[in-house]
Amino acid sequence: MDTLGFDIGGTDVKAGRMGPNGEVREETRFSTPVDQPPEELVSQIANAVRKLGSSLPVGVACAGIIRARDGFVAASPNLPQLRGFPLRSALEQELSRAVAVLNDANAFVLAEVRTGAGRGFHDVIGLTIGTGVGGGIVLQGKLHTGRSGYGGELGHVILDASGRLCACGNRGCLEALVCRAAILEEYAAQGGRNAADPETVAHRAAAGESAAIRTWDAIGARLGLGLGSLANIFDPELFIVGGGISKANELLLKPARVTLEDAALAPTDQLPEVRVAELSNAAGWIGAAAQAREIE
Ligand code: BGC
């Protein structure tokens, strides 16, 4: 049977219909309603369900700290309107059926391990870099989210206690140092001309502009510090870096590997590989659609 997946991010909601073997049948997206009550988001998802295949099982991935047991959103740094919202029960009421709800980055890493860059690996750490930075931990083939499901928030690992303010309220989180906004700030600090988005900074770096190259070197170095710390904790086989920012590819990953090597304690020849995601921006909804198969 086909299933539907949704990925609620800080900027937009990506969605699609997936076939039984992971085939992408249809994809769509709409802007995340901000400054509106969460019920508006729920009703927009329900509308999209009607268009994509109203009777199919639904999985929803959401940026935020989500209680696994009942899909309650305890906090969501980039979607503050969802704080304390019973997302799963609201969706179930609106759609009159059981719905699977999970963290967006957890959905991303599940999808990448099943059908993307992590195929064949068992110990994988995934990071998605965009408006926020999400994390997913797969150990021995299984997603690890801790006692209540709140774990795996790797974007909020603190790298610099006096660093840039994070959307979560702490300072110097990995997210605060490498997210979209941080890249644009770094580019301005490096003397870069106006850039509306990190993609522009990536194009300029690829064209040889030195402020843009220095920006990716600085952002990559910060990412590598985070990866090095995570390598020291988990000793994974592979890091997968996804989200919109991962399109910068080696501009980001090359400097990241350098600081990863410096920060990690394991022998250099045994450090994890670092790859960009294969499913790009679709991984979140694909992982959610896969999770919809687990609904009993
Ligand atoms: C949130 C995560 C989410 C990530 C990416 C972070 O700010 O804390 O739950 O996975 O952004 O959307």
Side-chain angles (χ1 to χ4, degrees):
M1 193 198 271
D2 286 6
T3 54
L4 305 183
F6 288 81
D7 177 11
I8 309 170
T11 310
D12 52 20
V13 179
K14 300 173 196 79
R17 175 173 174 154
M18 189 176 85
N21 300 310
E23 313 90 313
V24 172
R25 303 233 199 261
E26 200 180 334
E27 275 187 288
T28 180
R29 69 163 69 193
F30 54 90
S31 300
T32 307
V34 282
D35 301 328
Q36 287 183 67
E39 289 75 14
E40 175 58 26
L41 173 66
V42 169
S43 95
Q44 291 195 19
I45 290 176
N47 283 341
V49 167
R50 282 176 211 116
K51 285 186 201 139
L52 287 165
S54 56
S55 59
L56 299 175
V58 177
V60 175
C62 177
I65 295 119
I66 295 170
R67 189 162 64 202
R69 161 161 57 87
D70 57 0
F72 169 84
V73 184
S76 187
N78 296 293
L79 296 165
Q81 71 274 29
L82 290 186
R83 184 189 180 89
F85 186 63
L87 180 62
R88 192 170 95 200
S89 60
L91 285 162
E92 290 184 340
Q93 215 171 340
E94 181 81 21
L95 294 168
S96 309
R97 83 190 82 148
V99 173
V101 169
L102 74 170
N103 170 272
D104 60 344
N106 286 179
F108 149 81
V109 76
L110 279 179
E112 287 289 339
V113 166
R114 283 190 191 148
T115 58
R119 265 187 318 265
F121 289 84
H122 299 99
D123 294 293
V124 179
I125 305 288
L127 286 175
T128 58
I129 311 180
T131 313
V133 174
I137 304 165
V138 170
L139 298 178
Q140 299 182 355
K142 290 221 168 86
L143 194 62
H144 180 83
T145 60
R147 181 170 49 97
S148 309
Y150 296 145
E153 282 286 339
L154 307 179
H156 300 285
V157 166
I158 295 175
L159 296 184
D160 175 2
S162 56
R164 190 172 176 275
L165 187 63
C166 185
C168 74
N170 289 330
R171 281 192 176 273
C173 295
L174 177 61
E175 169 169 317
L177 302 185
V178 305
C179 67
R180 297 184 78 86
I183 295 167
L184 294 177
E185 275 176 30
E186 182 62 29
Y187 183 54
Q190 293 287 356
R193 291 168 288 128
N194 270 355
D197 47 47
E199 289 75 8
T200 306
V201 184
H203 287 138
R204 291 183 188 167
E209 190 200 86
S210 58
I213 293 172
R214 287 196 304 272
T215 300
W216 288 108
D217 283 350
I219 300 294
R222 296 175 195 166
L223 173 64
L225 268 190
L227 297 182
S229 300
L230 294 171
N232 288 338
I233 302 169
F234 296 109
D235 186 22
E237 300 167 275
L238 173 68
F239 285 114
I240 303 178
V241 180
I245 302 307
S246 66
K247 288 192 199 128
N249 215 315
E250 287 299 309
L251 285 169
L252 176 70
L253 297 195
K254 212 165 161 211
R257 289 192 194 97
V258 175
T259 43
L260 160 62
E261 272 188 38
D262 289 346
L265 301 177
T268 307
D269 62 352
Q270 281 162 49
L271 289 179
E273 238 188 272
V274 187
R275 293 186 182 171
V276 289
E278 273 178 20
L279 305 172
S280 99
N281 270 345
W285 80 255
I286 289 177
Q291 196 71 6
R293 293 197 193 294
E294 313 292 321
I295 300 171
E296 284 154 22

